[in-house]
Amino acid sequence: MEHILTPKVEEVKLLDRYTAKKPAIGTLYLTATHLIFVETSCNTRKETWMLHHLIATVEKLPLTAMGCPLHISCKNFHVAHFVISSERDCQNVHQSLVRLSQPGKVEELYAFLYNPKQDDDERRNGWGFIDSAMDFKRMGLPNEFWEMTDLNKNYELCSTYHSELGIPKTASKGTVFGSAKFRSRGRIPTLSYYHKESNAAICRCSQPLSGLSGRCVEDEEMLQAISRANPKSTFMYVVDTRPKLNAMANRAAGKGYENEDNYSNIRFQFVGIENIHVMRNSLQKLLEVCAMKSPTMSDYLTGLENSGWLRHIKAVMDAGVFLAKALAEDKASVLVHCSDGWDRTAQVCSLASILLDPFYRTIKGLMVLIEKEWISMGHKFTQRCGHVDGDPKEVSPVFTQFIECLWNLMEQYPCGFEYNEKYLLEIHNHVYSCQFGNFIGNCQREREEMRLYERTFSVWPFLWENRHQYRNPLHKCSLGREVLRPSTLPLNFKFWCGMYNHFDKGMQPKQSILDHLLTITQKKAEGEKKMTDLQRQLAVMDGVLADQGSPTGTPPEQTSLSPESVSHTAENAKPLMNGAAVEEAEIELVPTAGSEKMEPVAIEN
Amino acid sequence: MEFSEHIKTANVEDVVLRRPFHPPMQGTLCVTGHHLLFSNRDGDSSRLVLLLLRNIDAIEKRPSGSSGTITLKCKDLCVLQLDIPGMEECLNIARSIEYLSSLDIVSDMYPFFYRPLKLSLQDQWGLSSAEQNYAQMEELQDRWRLSHVNKDYSVCPSYPPAVIVPHSIDDETLVKVAKFRQGGRFPVLCYYHRKNGMVIMRSSQPLTGANRKRCREDELLLQAVIDGSGLGYIIDTRSNQQAQQARMTGGGFESKSSYSCWKRLHRQLERGKVLQESLIKLVEACGDHSHSVDRWLSKLENSKWLSHVHTALATAGLLAECVERDGHSVLVHGSEGTDTTLLVSSLAQLILDPKTRTLAGFLGLLEREWLLAGHPFQQRCAHSAYSHARLRLEAPVFVLLLDCVWQLARQFPLAMGFSEPLLLRLAMEVYASDYGTFLCNSDQERCAAGVKERTHCLFQFLLKPSERERYSNPLYEPTELAIWPSVQPQSLQLWRGLFLRWTQHAVHLEKAQEELRNLVIECRGAS
């Protein structure tokens, strides 16, 4: 709290980002966790909440006739332009926000304050809700070709990997350790996805330390073992997701890529996804396009083109499609890497998994996938999301791109996914907000060292509990095991207004088909439930059925889409909180800041 | 006319037909006066593909050895290919198609031959008359009257026989005003806003010319429009500069000094050749399947199609705002008053008037504001985006309208009683149709050609229960409120349903639409 110099400023103006509409006037509050703007100029009470940790930049502009402008932009692309009449107040707010939005250490993040009133058991169960090891079981592991090893249980093999790894059965301990020495940061080839139908697998690793001519027998053996685990195929693909030029430059630094001559039966391929710095700059340009006040259509389209953003999204999607095709059509295994194997590799492997396996197109499946390919395989969330004050060059929208690729897929397959756009936005929000512990830390080992599982809560049970909001009413399970073959023609990649202009309500469709469908399907389910209850009561009265003492007892869960199923929340997770009513830690003011919303959104009461 | 003179080869066996979403099919090709007929007998099942020759926009023939390939590019943007054995047959068929697809005598066209069993020529043609429309709007009758000054089309050839004008302006005055407006299109009422009694008028440009001619009667008419309310707006769909230039060729605008109670706003909407070329570029961009996002975006930008959508919607929004928010009456015109004028006035009505958002209401709007108001459909839709023919008077103004309506419906998915398939159907029918609705350039021409007696009416057909079902919006929930579209570029999208209709991608989207319809029906059944 020592950072809050001015907890409350009155007569603050909130300008509309795009139009010259009359600004809203209200009071600005700074709490320990949020900036809250309460509009006083209109009859309806309107609040805007911004979590400090979501703030990406806060900028104080030179004094104008109206007052002192303060521009805030958040990592979830919420942008607010305030004007504060007193320069001194503005200065204070600015200074506080700069400090609050960039905590010096992880322990200051919201997740360590946030308490949904659960006891330790509930917390533990919550963390156990999603278990990536279970997913390997689901794929049929261990089997005659693959096994789970605990060679990394003390993180000695690779400090940034998970402790349990899937490796080919025929790879000896010597091979594994030898290969680890030849791979950047010891990130050996390990199983990402096993495709039951073809026996082919997606494996992932980091770049080999080959330099200009180096080789490593154990690493070659390791790839052989992966190849052998798919006996029906005579070759495997090795996909380097970097542009060729970048990979070649790495060779000069003692790293590099696989030489086809040294590895037997591999087909080597570059797919040309740019690095984190290019992506960061591209997003920056995209956001500049979004920030244009009243652009012409040409300004906008030219800006979109120049940002390169959709080109990068397409590159990631192309790579994912390449992988899925290799497994489904060529029945060949694929080994994927980039430099360290925690950014582009994570994007591409998880996209391919979604294309191949309908499980990942379900609400729970996506949680498992993110847990497996991102969290446990060491995507550096703390650095990439800039959770704490650190090197700005480490920040990059890698995860955002993955979510955007997924959205593009959903646009092409409106019936193919159990979840809807809101689910993607909610996950994206949680990745950056740090309300829960899942996306804190750069790898599993760090999370253990921080004792996150004892000090913070997991987001997954929370999302699961609210899953009725995230379902896609058009989802058709009948698509079965179909492999998705999306078109990657450039014209299929669209600007995602729902993400980048999510908080500019005027720009979204004014009526939502999704909300409408959710409402009517929910009503229908309620009607059906009432009907079954009545029938049941009738049966009891008629003496056909024994009274089980619970008139509200629901019949067995009918479909996974039924909103009623919320009431019997999953086997392993007890409800974390009741509906949206959550108590916040340490909010001081708020006569009105109602304990209703955790998210910084405008609420109209 | 004898079509048979132009058919040298009527039948060819063993032709292979290739078209989107279907595997190649072998069968017999047959050319008739108005159709290409392709039939394939495969064991017991036989399949028939019927293509209206009028739908063919461009034809390309390529010889390969003793056989030939004909590529047919249709006005609905579909591309088909026929592999025809025998060079001579191929050339004969190509020649027939070339001739028969571009007949220009109206009475030779297919609607005059189309006689389906379930329709009768005795059925009513058109949805409602000007008299009926006027009679329904009691609230305007004390200030506005129905004038039959144009009953023999002599005052304005492109207007219908009856129009609504201020009560105080007699027919004699109207005749004088008509002489002062291009094509005789004097200001008429096209929309009355119940909430505040304000109106939308439309006309063509005044013929002020280089020496700033004035017309007392014209000024009087406009004065009568704003009687009491003080100030009116004129939305000129040309830039200020274009309007100034128009004076050199006898046209012009309403100057401040002569029309002191009217405030002019200029918004430049493209028309004619520029618009046609925009469509051609857009369709070309959509057909370019190279793999560069940059190239796609650059071509999309370069086509300017979305810019036209943007300007049209923004101008319509401005017009609606003048009427609803500022409480002023508005006169819209460009130069001829038959294209962008109608585009803007009908979009503004969709924004303001819930009655125009039902299926019947929308078709009624099209009848009033496009067919009766004299949009020259035959000239504008002679060719579409593929034609190599030299451009004459073609311009996809109506397609642009449909695109804007689609944008509105995308932003307000519950507000419209009709759905995307209706817009797609209209986009097709306007270029090639079994029905007579879009034939000719004006009501006068349609009457002269006997369209109303000898062809069937598309709009009547679309309102039959079976069709109504297909084209209604399952999500429709009427709202009395104005629907204000967002015109930020981010809020507008390429109309995939039309421009990318023949890509594989469309299949999943169509399935989703079907799924949505089923779901809504199911939910409705349950409640």
Side-chain angles (χ1 to χ4, degrees):
Chain A
M1 296 313 294
E2 71 271 23
H3 307 301
I4 299 176
L5 306 165
T6 309
K8 177 178 173 185
V9 189
E10 286 178 351
E11 291 292 304
V12 173
K13 296 188 192 78
L14 175 60
L15 308 185
D16 190 278
R17 195 175 163 199
Y18 293 105
T19 61
K21 262 196 322 215
K22 232 176 85 192
I25 299 173
T27 309
L28 193 73
Y29 299 93
L30 283 188
T31 75
T33 52
H34 290 84
L35 171 158
I36 304 162
F37 177 77
V38 182
E39 205 177 317
T40 49
S41 51
C42 61
N43 297 330
T44 55
R45 160 160 230 108
K46 216 168 151 189
E47 298 172 9
T48 306
W49 287 54
M50 293 175 127
L51 186 68
H52 296 327
H53 298 143
L54 274 173
I55 294 175
T57 60
V58 44
E59 223 183 326
K60 183 175 155 291
L61 274 59
L63 194 68
T64 67
M66 264 172 92
C68 194
L70 187 71
H71 283 196
I72 299 176
S73 52
C74 296
K75 293 167 182 172
N76 58 358
F77 311 113
H78 190 181
V79 173
H81 292 176
F82 293 108
V83 177
I84 298 175
S85 34
S86 134
E87 187 167 20
R88 194 190 162 75
D89 284 341
C90 186
Q91 174 64 37
N92 285 346
V93 171
H94 177 257
Q95 203 178 323
S96 305
L97 286 178
V98 166
R99 179 63 192 81
L100 292 165
S101 64
Q102 290 255 299
K105 47 186 200 296
V106 166
E107 283 70 17
E108 290 173 36
L109 289 170
Y110 188 27
F112 293 91
L113 296 174
Y114 173 68
N115 180 0
K117 292 231 161 125
Q118 289 188 353
D119 62 30
D120 288 349
D121 275 349
E122 285 167 317
R123 185 200 302 255
R124 207 166 24 251
N125 284 336
W127 278 110
F129 182 57
I130 295 297
D131 178 1
S132 57
M134 288 297 292
D135 197 41
F136 288 109
K137 273 203 192 106
R138 188 188 63 86
M139 295 179 212
L141 256 63
N143 63 14
E144 56 173 318
F145 306 113
W146 293 90
E147 63 183 10
M148 300 303 293
T149 171
D150 61 355
L151 284 176
N152 197 36
K153 64 172 181 285
N154 299 319
Y155 304 107
E156 283 160 357
L157 183 63
C158 169
S159 65
T160 57
Y161 267 178
H162 194 253
S163 51
E164 274 182 90
L165 300 172
I167 55 167
K169 248 190 178 150
T170 57
S172 69
K173 197 174 165 184
T175 303
V176 172
F177 274 89
S179 170
K181 289 213 176 67
F182 189 63
R183 292 277 164 182
S184 216
R185 301 173 203 269
R187 293 173 68 92
I188 51 155
T190 174
L191 184 72
S192 155
Y193 179 70
Y194 178 73
H195 191 234
K196 265 188 268 188
E197 287 81 353
S198 63
N199 285 332
I202 300 175
C203 294
R204 54 184 287 183
C205 60
S206 60
Q207 65 184 334
L209 304 174
S210 56
L212 293 173
S213 60
R215 54 191 290 188
C216 164
V217 181
E218 291 90 343
D219 194 61
E220 289 160 24
E221 278 172 11
M222 188 73 187
L223 264 67
Q224 276 260 296
I226 293 172
S227 207
R228 270 200 305 275
N230 182 12
K232 272 183 259 163
S233 177
T234 54
F235 70 96
M236 70 183 276
Y237 287 106
V238 174
V239 172
D240 189 328
T241 57
R242 298 169 293 185
K244 187 169 181 188
L245 221 61
N246 301 20
M248 284 171 61
N250 264 298
R251 274 186 17 189
K255 299 164 188 172
Y257 53 92
E258 291 79 358
N259 181 339
E260 265 178 306
D261 300 337
N262 297 342
Y263 294 84
S264 43
N265 306 321
I266 67 164
R267 291 189 191 170
F268 186 84
Q269 178 92 28
F270 288 111
V271 294
I273 303 173
E274 299 287 352
N275 66 25
I276 57 168
H277 311 296
V278 174
M279 299 309 190
R280 180 178 56 246
N281 294 334
S282 173
L283 178 64
Q284 187 53 42
K285 284 192 197 149
L286 181 79
L287 295 179
E288 282 163 20
V289 174
C290 295
M292 289 194 284
K293 262 241 147 74
S294 41
T296 65
M297 187 54 86
S298 288
D299 293 340
Y300 162 71
L301 287 173
T302 310
L304 194 59
E305 180 193 341
N306 291 341
S307 77
W309 183 252
L310 294 180
R311 180 178 67 220
H312 300 312
I313 297 294
K314 175 172 150 58
V316 176
M317 187 75 104
D318 275 329
V321 169
F322 178 88
L323 256 62
K325 240 174 115 180
L327 269 76
E329 284 171 24
D330 303 341
K331 318 262 182 239
S333 291
V334 187
L335 175 66
V336 191
H337 67 73
C338 43
S339 300
D340 290 311
W342 51 41
D343 294 315
R344 289 167 272 203
T345 302
Q347 289 176 328
V348 170
C349 289
S350 40
L351 256 183
S353 301
I354 289 169
L355 295 174
L356 287 164
D357 193 334
F359 173 65
Y360 301 121
R361 297 172 223 149
T362 65
I363 291 178
K364 198 160 184 183
L366 183 60
M367 298 179 184
V368 171
L369 185 70
I370 292 171
E371 188 72 33
K372 184 163 74 83
E373 293 301 315
W374 294 81
I375 298 174
S376 76
M377 292 304 280
H379 175 69
K380 303 197 287 178
F381 279 106
T382 295
Q383 291 191 352
R384 293 292 178 262
C385 304
H387 287 333
V388 290
D389 198 12
D391 183 358
K393 287 218 162 68
E394 285 287 342
V395 176
S396 188
V398 178
F399 188 80
T400 306
Q401 288 182 319
F402 161 65
I403 290 287
E404 186 163 334
C405 285
L406 193 43
W407 174 76
N408 267 297
L409 276 180
M410 283 162 54
E411 286 287 292
Q412 285 200 40
Y413 293 92
C415 303
F417 291 79
E418 191 195 9
Y419 38 86
N420 59 35
E421 184 187 18
K422 285 185 193 183
Y423 189 51
L424 301 187
L425 294 172
E426 189 70 6
I427 290 176
H428 186 261
N429 223 7
H430 280 298
V431 164
Y432 283 96
S433 75
C434 296
Q435 181 183 341
F436 295 92
N438 305 61
F439 306 105
I440 297 174
N442 292 312
C443 61
Q444 208 63 21
R445 194 178 71 160
E446 261 187 48
R447 288 184 195 99
E448 281 171 21
E449 284 166 3
M450 284 186 272
R451 295 188 299 116
L452 275 177
Y453 310 110
E454 296 150 47
R455 299 163 69 196
T456 70
F457 293 85
S458 167
V459 71
W460 304 129
F462 171 78
L463 292 175
W464 182 250
E465 172 132 348
N466 294 313
R467 66 188 178 282
H468 58 283
Q469 297 172 30
Y470 305 133
R471 74 199 162 79
N472 169 15
L474 298 179
H475 179 233
K476 274 208 102 68
C477 311
S478 63
L479 287 172
R481 299 280 303 165
E482 192 195 332
V483 174
L484 301 187
R485 292 184 172 78
S487 158
T488 60
L489 283 178
L491 43 80
N492 281 316
F493 292 88
K494 294 185 281 187
F495 171 75
W496 190 4
C497 192
M499 172 74 107
Y500 302 102
N501 289 110
H502 181 73
F503 295 91
D504 308 298
K505 288 296 174 213
M507 293 173 56
Q508 309 294 327
K510 306 293 179 357
Q511 299 170 323
S512 154
I513 296 180
L514 175 64
D515 286 341
H516 184 76
L517 292 181
L518 284 174
T519 313
I520 62 169
T521 49
Q522 182 140 357
K523 263 194 204 140
K524 173 177 170 243
E526 275 161 19
E528 281 170 0
K529 177 172 169 282
K530 209 179 263 167
M531 187 60 94
T532 346
D533 284 352
L534 282 175
Q535 279 168 349
R536 184 175 193 84
Q537 280 174 24
L538 271 178
V540 170
M541 282 196 296
D542 291 348
V544 181
L545 267 180
D547 188 358
Q548 290 168 343
S550 99
T552 53
T554 44
E557 214 171 305
Q558 294 144 343
T559 63
S560 60
L561 295 182
S562 148
E564 270 65 49
S565 51
V566 178
S567 55
H568 7 192
T569 311
E571 323 71 72
N572 359 20
K574 289 251 177 76
L576 276 184
M577 23 185 108
N578 269 326
V582 176
E583 272 224 2
E584 289 201 49
E586 293 186 52
I587 280 207
E588 299 183 331
L589 77 135
V590 249
T592 61
S595 45
E596 293 228 324
K597 283 269 173 176
M598 300 306 304
E599 306 310 321
V601 294
I603 332 164
E604 293 193 21
N605 291 342
Chain B
M1 187 193 73
E2 278 304 315
F3 297 123
S4 57
E5 285 169 31
H6 300 281
I7 304 174
K8 284 256 160 55
T9 302
N11 274 295
V12 194
E13 304 277 335
D14 296 324
V15 173
V16 177
L17 168 70
R18 298 170 205 277
R19 55 187 178 140
F21 311 143
H22 295 276
M25 204 160 75
Q26 192 167 38
T28 307
L29 180 73
C30 177
V31 187
T32 74
H34 292 107
H35 289 99
L36 276 189
L37 216 134
F38 182 89
S39 64
N40 134 296
R41 239 166 251 106
D42 192 16
D44 306 332
S45 68
S46 75
R47 263 176 304 175
L48 207 68
V49 179
L50 195 65
L51 179 72
L52 199 58
L53 286 168
R54 186 84 195 158
N55 188 11
I56 295 169
D57 204 26
I59 165 167
E60 286 157 23
K61 39 191 190 284
R62 206 179 54 237
S64 55
S66 64
S67 66
T69 297
I70 295 180
T71 304
L72 300 174
K73 298 186 170 174
C74 299
K75 292 170 184 167
D76 63 7
L77 307 182
C78 184
V79 177
L80 312 166
Q81 194 183 308
L82 295 165
D83 298 338
I84 299 173
M87 206 50 224
E88 199 186 324
E89 284 83 350
C90 177
L91 292 175
N92 281 343
I93 285 181
R95 219 169 290 130
S96 302
I97 295 175
E98 269 161 12
Y99 183 84
L100 294 167
S101 64
S102 51
L103 301 173
D104 40 30
I105 299 172
V106 173
S107 58
D108 284 345
M109 292 182 189
Y110 185 60
F112 286 89
F113 299 82
Y114 179 59
R115 296 291 175 263
L117 288 174
K118 51 187 183 216
L119 296 177
S120 154
L121 287 177
Q122 312 307 317
D123 292 344
Q124 187 192 330
W125 210 98
L127 300 178
S128 71
S129 64
E131 284 79 4
Q132 284 166 324
N133 287 333
Y134 180 75
Q136 275 166 12
M137 296 188 285
E138 278 171 32
E139 59 276 29
L140 65 70
Q141 290 168 1
D142 56 331
R143 282 196 56 217
W144 300 86
R145 68 182 184 97
L146 195 66
S147 163
H148 296 279
V149 68
N150 197 40
K151 60 179 178 298
D152 52 2
Y153 304 104
S154 58
V155 177
C156 172
S158 60
Y159 269 176
V163 291
I164 301 173
V165 294
H167 231 300
S168 56
I169 302 297
D170 58 23
D171 283 355
E172 217 169 303
T173 312
L174 291 178
V175 174
K176 286 183 185 150
V177 176
K179 294 209 173 96
F180 186 63
R181 294 273 171 180
Q182 184 175 1
R185 296 174 67 91
F186 54 89
V188 294
L189 177 134
C190 65
Y191 173 67
Y192 178 85
H193 196 51
R194 279 187 179 75
K195 278 185 212 147
N196 57 14
M198 294 301 126
V199 298
I200 301 177
M201 310 280 296
R202 56 175 159 69
S203 68
S204 59
Q205 65 179 340
L207 301 172
T208 53
N211 39 15
R212 303 174 190 271
K213 217 165 53 186
R214 289 176 66 162
C215 171
R216 189 76 204 107
E217 289 76 10
D218 193 75
E219 289 162 24
L220 218 65
L221 193 157
L222 289 192
Q223 195 55 44
V225 170
I226 49 170
D227 168 48
S229 76
L231 181 74
Y233 283 97
I234 294 171
I235 293 184
D236 192 324
T237 62
R238 303 163 296 180
S239 68
N240 196 4
Q241 199 192 357
Q242 283 172 330
Q244 299 281 355
Q245 275 167 1
R247 281 174 38 216
M248 298 305 129
T249 49
F253 53 89
E254 296 81 356
S255 67
K256 193 79 212 163
S257 54
S258 316
Y259 300 84
S260 57
C261 293
W262 290 84
K263 189 174 157 48
R264 260 183 308 122
L265 302 168
H266 289 272
R267 290 291 182 278
Q268 186 184 348
L269 269 72
E270 295 300 344
R271 59 204 84 212
K273 205 168 165 188
V274 176
L275 212 52
Q276 182 71 15
E277 275 165 3
S278 170
L279 178 73
I280 292 172
K281 281 187 195 160
L282 176 69
V283 170
E284 200 271 322
C286 292
D288 176 2
H289 288 179
S290 68
H291 272 266
S292 154
V293 173
D294 293 7
R295 189 166 149 168
W296 156 247
L297 287 174
S298 145
K299 281 185 155 186
L300 181 64
E301 189 277 317
N302 191 39
S303 80
K304 298 283 185 244
W305 182 261
L306 285 173
S307 303
H308 302 320
V309 171
H310 179 254
T311 320
L313 272 174
T315 310
L318 173 75
L319 168 52
E321 233 175 293
C322 290
V323 174
E324 155 103 7
R325 293 198 177 144
D326 302 346
H328 294 295
S329 287
V330 183
L331 168 68
V332 202
H333 70 72
S335 27
E336 292 167 314
T338 52
D339 295 284
T340 51
T341 303
L342 309 182
L343 177 63
V344 172
S345 75
S346 37
L347 284 173
Q349 291 181 56
L350 276 166
I351 293 173
L352 292 172
D353 184 4
K355 287 206 177 74
T356 61
R357 298 183 212 134
T358 64
L359 179 60
F362 179 60
L363 295 177
L365 177 75
L366 297 182
E367 183 174 80
R368 275 194 333 269
E369 288 295 280
W370 291 79
L371 292 165
L372 293 173
H375 177 67
F377 279 103
Q378 197 174 329
Q379 293 172 352
R380 298 292 180 258
C381 301
H383 285 289
S384 172
Y386 289 126
S387 172
H388 307 299
R390 209 170 64 84
L391 289 183
R392 286 178 303 185
L393 297 164
E394 291 83 358
V397 193
F398 189 71
V399 175
L400 182 58
L401 169 85
L402 295 176
D403 194 331
C404 293
V405 175
W406 177 80
Q407 307 281 352
L408 266 178
R410 199 189 77 83
Q411 295 191 20
F412 295 89
L414 314 185
M416 307 286 196
F418 52 90
S419 60
E420 182 177 5
L422 178 81
L423 301 175
L424 293 172
R425 171 106 194 228
L426 291 171
M428 188 179 82
E429 298 278 350
V430 74
Y431 282 99
S433 178
D434 294 345
Y435 299 87
T437 300
F438 293 116
L439 292 179
C440 304
N441 295 305
S442 66
D443 195 51
Q444 183 188 23
E445 281 185 29
R446 272 185 281 275
C447 287
V451 167
K452 295 181 187 179
E453 292 84 41
R454 293 166 54 205
T455 74
H456 294 288
C457 169
L458 174 67
F459 292 172
Q460 282 290 352
F461 173 70
L462 291 176
L463 289 175
K464 293 208 176 293
S466 60
E467 301 300 302
R468 195 184 261 274
E469 169 74 30
R470 179 152 20 137
Y471 295 117
S472 65
N473 173 11
L475 300 172
Y476 180 48
E477 286 191 347
T479 167
E480 283 300 311
L481 300 174
I483 51 172
W484 301 104
S486 161
V487 293
Q488 277 280 330
Q490 290 100 308
S491 307
L492 303 176
Q493 285 193 0
L494 176 68
W495 185 10
R496 277 149 210 277
L498 179 65
F499 297 110
L500 306 178
R501 189 179 193 176
W502 305 107
T503 60
Q504 197 58 40
H505 175 76
V507 177
H508 299 291
L509 301 187
E510 265 166 37
K511 264 190 214 147
Q513 282 307 314
E514 202 183 299
E515 188 59 31
L516 190 151
R517 185 174 286 270
N518 292 340
L519 183 70
V520 173
I521 291 169
E522 202 180 294
C523 286
R524 234 177 245 148
S527 64

